Amino acid sequence: MTVQLLTPEGMLQPVPYHHVSIGTGSRQVHVAGQIARDAEGNHIATDDLAGQVAQALRNTARGLAGAGASFSDVVRLRFFVTHWEPAKIDDFMAGLAAVTEELGIPQPLPPVSLIGVDYLFEPDVLVEVEAFAVLD
């Protein structure tokens, strides 16, 4: 097993992710921040957080696959969301749920951070996803 996900006793529950991951492989895969663009650079899901989360995760999956990895190899995910506020969590989770089965994203998730930022590098970008994976 390349990645072991766990939540030690006494850590906050319930949450939709594991608190700890242990990567036992020797190859590391880092997928740079992915956004809601297709291969030609076309904007996907403008002004739609759920749609952008889904597309960014699809792009992350392509990056992982290019390195011979999948979401089952991911030890950490990091999301950056513009103008974050707790009221956006339902849209965020809907975007994740829309592609969980399609992309084989483990449930609960590996350790994940959701970081609110004022803006990303282009005004229409609502979310960016980074992944770190370990392979044998």
Side-chain angles (χ1 to χ4, degrees), residues 4 7 32 49 67 83:
Q4 178 187 1
T7 296
L49 179 59
H83 308 294

Coordinates of all heavy atoms in Angstrom, one line a residue, residues 4 7 32 49 67 83:
Q4 N -1.4 5.2 3.3 CA -2.3 4.8 4.4 C -3.0 6.1 4.9 O -2.3 7.0 5.3 CB -1.5 4.1 5.5 CG -2.4 3.7 6.6 CD -1.5 3.1 7.8 OE1 -0.3 3.0 7.7 NE2 -2.2 2.7 8.8
T7 N -7.3 8.5 10.9 CA -7.6 9.5 11.8 C -7.4 9.0 13.2 O -8.2 8.2 13.7 CB -9.1 10.0 11.6 OG1 -9.2 10.6 10.3 CG2 -9.5 11.0 12.6
A32 N 0.8 20.9 -9.8 CA 0.7 22.3 -9.6 C -0.8 22.7 -9.6 O -1.7 21.9 -10.0 CB 1.4 23.1 -10.7
L49 N -18.9 28.1 -8.6 CA -17.9 27.4 -7.8 C -17.9 25.9 -7.9 O -16.9 25.3 -8.0 CB -18.1 27.8 -6.3 CG -17.1 27.2 -5.3 CD1 -15.6 27.6 -5.7 CD2 -17.4 27.7 -3.9
A67 N 1.6 11.1 -14.6 CA 2.7 10.6 -13.8 C 2.5 9.2 -13.4 O 3.3 8.7 -12.6 CB 2.9 11.5 -12.6
H83 N -12.5 34.7 -2.1 CA -13.5 35.3 -1.4 C -14.3 34.3 -0.5 O -15.5 34.3 -0.5 CB -14.5 36.1 -2.3 CG -13.8 37.1 -3.1 ND1 -13.1 38.2 -2.7 CD2 -13.6 37.1 -4.5 CE1 -12.5 38.8 -3.7 NE2 -12.8 38.2 -4.8

